[in-house]
Amino acid sequence: MTKTGFLSRAARRLHLFCLFLALGSFVWGYNVGVLASVLVHPGFRETTNTEASKRGLITAIYYLGTFVSYVFVAHPAADRLGRRDAALVGMAVTCLGQAMQAGAVGSPSEALTMVVLGRIIAGMGTGIISTSVPLYQSEIAPPRQRGRFVVMNHIGFVAGLASGFWVGWAITFWNNARGLQVGWRYSLSFSFIPAFLFVAGLPFMHESPRWLVEHGQIEEAYNTLSFYREGYYNTDQVHAELIDIERSVAVFRVSGLTWTSLFTDKSLWARMWRSALLQFMAQMCGATAMKYYLPALFKALGLSHRVSLLAGGIESTLKIACNVVEMLIIDRVGRRLTLVIGAVIMVFALLINGILPQIYPHNVNRAADYTCVVFVFIYSLGYSMGFGPASWVYGSEIFPTALRARGLSFAASCGAIGSIIVAQVWPIGIAALGSKIYFFFMAINLVSVPVIYLFYPETKGRRLEDMDALFGDGRVERGDHGETENLLTDRSSFEYRDEDSERDSLAQLDPEPVRD
């Protein structure tokens, strides 16, 4: 066995670990995708007696659960339990909520209440998973490949989304009396399979080395960092990275900063509002509507119910390929450029979908309808190459270690607010305005382009401990990257052995992994 081959396999091992972590987001995506078919299933409608407004409630209430989790639960879980154990707890809570939905019984009002409560509980579990997993991935990834590894989280999400649509489509063939009555329950229950695999495998993973340092487990942190850096760094470089993490954590402890500093300190607020706005825009761009109401949207374009679900499955499957492309390019072209290009693509797609039904109303022109279907797919391309994965990558990397879980959770709560708004606005807007509702979301995407270009500094290739150079003071927006007041890195107060040697090693950190 050659050293080259060994190191290459070690690099692939890190990819495999991050893909396994994405199983958590797979369950999240599945629960989102399958609901689109559940909402229109005759057995579900009979059981819950749902009309349009109630379907909007069922969709939106999920994000009430995620909002509560992001604000009050997700960050304490990630900080106190660790990224790994928080993900375990989150999955258990998600499964409880999903079980309540699948087992909804009683009168229509009682069954609807069970579904709503189950959605809230599942949303709370998802809130924990959706923050702890990208935190975990970002904290074990080498800096130059961090974007790639965190995008794997979104690949898991869209794979789950696609699986949910395909299961919903397959259930339409179970059209005897039994299938029409309980098929939707089976659709919801299939999520327990990937959830079980996730829960069974996660205890064998190492905890995040940065969390271990924060909790004084230095030796275990070093062993963990060595395990995850094998094939990327040599021993000196692993030691140097550990020293830098220790220094960052130590300086933060004596800085006097707390979680409230995210809103009161200039440097931390610069990160907080950017991450929160990015999450909000990632939902207000129309993505929530596309995920939950895609079959209804295709039906409005003249496709049958079964073909609409089939088209939704194809669209979601193509998203996987788009996210793989994003995974390969995000560390090369950067976060900001992918966000801008993705938003421009969505603007164009929404413009076409808004205009053509106005010119050719009531499905009088099949070519126009099919063109709209194509541009729904193009919209998904833009989202999958921009807001979808990049908003989580950016938010998971810009905060200091001690505040990373809180910062990402608070930012994600703004995404939950955006999802609630869109989930309520879309069904009402499409009924009252028709395709003109697309112009509303188009305008949001259009405004986001200059906002991202002007106010979001590029983070690709930077170590997590070096983000202060971008957000140390307000001069970053003016392009002044000279000396700044570095809040968390007053390293002169701390002495370490062989400092020059460690700095030399740090300067060489993050080579490309060795290839076969």
Side-chain angles (χ1 to χ4, degrees), residues 278-302:
L278 196 59
Q279 287 281 348
F280 185 71
M281 291 189 297
Q283 301 306 320
M284 290 300 294
C285 70
T288 299
M290 292 292 185
K291 286 181 287 193
Y292 282 111
Y293 302 115
L294 193 60
L297 187 155
F298 283 139
K299 286 182 70 175
L301 293 172

Side-chain angles (χ1 to χ4, degrees), residues 439-471:
F439 298 138
F440 170 75
F441 297 108
M442 183 194 76
I444 292 174
N445 283 286
L446 194 60
V447 170
S448 72
V449 171
V451 170
I452 292 167
Y453 183 78
L454 294 174
F455 298 110
Y456 283 77
E458 183 53 65
T459 58
K460 70 171 182 177
R462 288 184 176 268
R463 291 180 298 121
L464 295 176
E465 287 69 41
D466 286 345
M467 290 297 171
D468 297 323
L470 290 181
F471 302 99

Side-chain angles (χ1 to χ4, degrees), residues 192-366:
F192 296 132
I193 298 173
F196 172 78
L197 295 175
F198 185 75
V199 170
L202 202 56
F204 297 98
M205 299 281 289
H206 292 258
E207 183 51 81
S208 159
R210 286 171 171 81
W211 184 87
L212 291 170
V213 168
E214 205 177 20
H215 288 76
Q217 303 177 44
I218 306 302
E219 183 177 353
E220 186 175 350
Y222 176 77
N223 293 334
T224 299
L225 199 60
S226 299
F227 178 80
Y228 283 126
R229 292 292 180 267
E230 186 178 26
Y232 287 90
Y233 292 0
N234 60 38
T235 301
D236 289 340
Q237 290 170 331
V238 171
H239 176 70
E241 184 178 9
L242 180 65
I243 289 293
D244 213 43
I245 295 171
E246 288 183 82
R247 181 181 294 114
S248 177
V249 170
V251 173
F252 186 87
R253 283 176 177 166
V254 300
S255 68
L257 298 175
T258 65
W259 69 267
T260 59
S261 302
L262 288 168
F263 305 96
T264 59
D265 178 82
K266 183 177 181 181
S267 169
L268 297 177
W269 173 242
R271 312 175 202 208
M272 186 69 252
W273 75 257
R274 284 175 172 86
S275 183
L277 180 60
L278 196 59
Q279 287 281 348
F280 185 71
M281 291 189 297
Q283 301 306 320
M284 290 300 294
C285 70
T288 299
M290 292 292 185
K291 286 181 287 193
Y292 282 111
Y293 302 115
L294 193 60
L297 187 155
F298 283 139
K299 286 182 70 175
L301 293 172
L303 303 183
S304 68
H305 170 62
R306 181 174 293 167
V307 174
S308 296
L309 291 174
L310 175 63
I314 295 172
E315 184 263 357
S316 299
T317 303
L318 289 177
K319 281 182 179 177
I320 301 174
C322 294
N323 275 268
V324 171
V325 173
E326 172 76 349
M327 181 186 73
L328 297 175
I329 67 172
I330 192 169
D331 288 313
R332 297 181 181 273
V333 304
R335 287 64 160 142
R336 185 168 64 173
L337 185 58
T338 57
L339 283 164
V340 167
I341 292 175
V344 170
I345 292 173
M346 289 189 289
V347 166
F348 187 58
L350 291 168
L351 177 65
I352 297 299
N353 272 273
I355 287 178
L356 286 182
Q358 298 298 312
I359 300 175
Y360 303 104
H362 310 300
N363 308 113
V364 297
N365 188 306
R366 300 306 297 165

Side-chain angles (χ1 to χ4, degrees), residues 462-505:
R462 288 184 176 268
R463 291 180 298 121
L464 295 176
E465 287 69 41
D466 286 345
M467 290 297 171
D468 297 323
L470 290 181
F471 302 99
D473 64 21
R475 286 181 287 176
V476 66
E477 288 89 354
R478 302 197 300 270
D480 180 0
H481 296 287
E483 293 294 319
T484 61
E485 294 178 5
N486 206 335
L487 239 196
L488 303 178
T489 53
D490 181 15
R491 292 174 178 171
S492 62
S493 301
F494 297 85
E495 293 183 3
Y496 292 86
R497 291 178 301 172
D498 201 12
E499 180 98 2
D500 292 337
S501 174
E502 288 159 5
R503 276 289 150 213
D504 290 340
S505 294

Side-chain angles (χ1 to χ4, degrees), residues 352-386:
I352 297 299
N353 272 273
I355 287 178
L356 286 182
Q358 298 298 312
I359 300 175
Y360 303 104
H362 310 300
N363 308 113
V364 297
N365 188 306
R366 300 306 297 165
D369 290 341
Y370 292 143
T371 300
C372 288
V373 171
V374 170
F375 274 91
V376 168
F377 283 55
I378 293 175
Y379 171 91
S380 297
L381 167 67
Y383 183 74
S384 299
M385 301 270 297

